[in-house]
Amino acid sequence: MKKTLLALVFGAFSTFSASSAIDLGILEISPEIGVAAGKAKIGDPANYNPTNYGGYARVWLGTLGIVVAPQAKFDYYSKQSGIDSFNNTQYGASIGTNFGLVVLRLTPYIGANYSHFNKFFADTVAYNAGIKLKPAVLPLAVSLQYTYQNPDVIGSNSSATMHNVQLMLGLHF
């Protein structure tokens, strides 16, 4: 009985380890919230190159190294060269795989999001690809993410190709 109780206590403590994620053997639940900043190229040719910043939240859910992350993201695109600023909100999911290295976890991922703009552009689908690095002993995550979308321009018969590269810094809970 004492050995069983001792095993349960040590198992509970190891579940909530320094990685801040809940890892129940084959099941992972790893919430992440953070900020993002980057540079975009909008138009063809890219005649509008605003900086952008915002925030994001996602929950990495997985088993056996494969993870899926439902996510929400908000970006503010700055005013530049007489072109007004705008906001972009995205909701969707990414899928990736974890590679546990000695001192960090590497997670390449791809995803798709519903993308809503507050002005200028019609709602569309955004596609992303990225890589996330998470140190083994700190509750931090650093991601580099590329996003592509091609929304229609409201009031015209054209669309605007958008390429966006962002650095994302997050906390794991």
Side-chain angles (χ1 to χ4, degrees), residues 39 46-51 77-85:
K39 190 75 170 169
N47 52 7
Y48 177 44
N49 300 309
T51 56
Y77 289 79
S78 66
K79 184 175 183 174
Q80 179 194 11
S81 303
I83 300 174
D84 202 5
S85 61

Side-chain angles (χ1 to χ4, degrees), residues 110-130:
I110 59 171
N113 296 315
Y114 170 77
S115 181
H116 170 75
F117 296 91
N118 70 327
K119 54 184 165 183
F120 304 131
F121 305 106
D123 295 353
T124 189
V125 175
Y127 303 97
N128 64 57

Side-chain angles (χ1 to χ4, degrees), residues 34-37 52-58 70-77 87-92 109 113-116 126 128 145-147 149 164-168:
V35 295
N52 59 68
Y53 55 90
Y56 72 95
R58 54 189 172 195
Q71 60 195 9
K73 188 169 157 246
F74 173 82
D75 289 319
Y76 170 81
Y77 289 79
N87 300 332
N88 180 222
T89 306
Q90 298 181 11
Y91 307 97
Y109 61 90
N113 296 315
Y114 170 77
S115 181
H116 170 75
N128 64 57
Q145 180 172 294
Y146 165 76
T147 303
Q149 50 190 334
N164 189 17
V165 176
Q166 289 183 309
L167 180 64
M168 304 166 80

Side-chain angles (χ1 to χ4, degrees), residues 60 67-69 71 93-97 107-112 127-131:
W60 295 93
V67 288
V68 175
Q71 60 195 9
S94 291
I95 185 169
T97 186
T107 307
Y109 61 90
I110 59 171
Y127 303 97
N128 64 57
I131 189 161

